[in-house]
Amino acid sequence: MDSQIIAKLRAKAERCRELAAEASDAEAAQSLLQLADEIETAIPVFEDNKAKLGAS
């Protein structure tokens, strides 16, 4: 996966956290935090796949 895409994913996760901090609805805030966590959990998988493809 392209490093620019990974950087964009990190930025999206950070934006979700920012929006969650500003949200007046607790359920929406929790959903945004969960989405940020899921993005951040997926990033190492993409980085690992990128490394494996680069090593081939």
Side-chain angles (χ1 to χ4, degrees), residues 30-52:
Q30 185 59 41
S31 293
L32 287 163
L33 291 173
Q34 182 178 351
L35 181 57
D37 287 344
E38 290 173 2
I39 292 169
E40 290 173 347
T41 299
I43 289 172
V45 175
F46 294 133
E47 290 174 325
D48 186 47
N49 286 340
K50 179 183 174 193
K52 285 180 182 175

Side-chain angles (χ1 to χ4, degrees), residues 3-41:
S3 58
Q4 288 180 334
I5 294 172
I6 292 170
K8 286 181 183 181
L9 286 171
R10 282 196 175 99
K12 295 289 184 186
E14 180 59 29
R15 183 64 180 143
C16 285
R17 293 193 186 287
E18 291 169 358
L19 290 171
E22 299 171 6
S24 59
D25 182 283
E27 188 176 342
Q30 185 59 41
S31 293
L32 287 163
L33 291 173
Q34 182 178 351
L35 181 57
D37 287 344
E38 290 173 2
I39 292 169
E40 290 173 347
T41 299

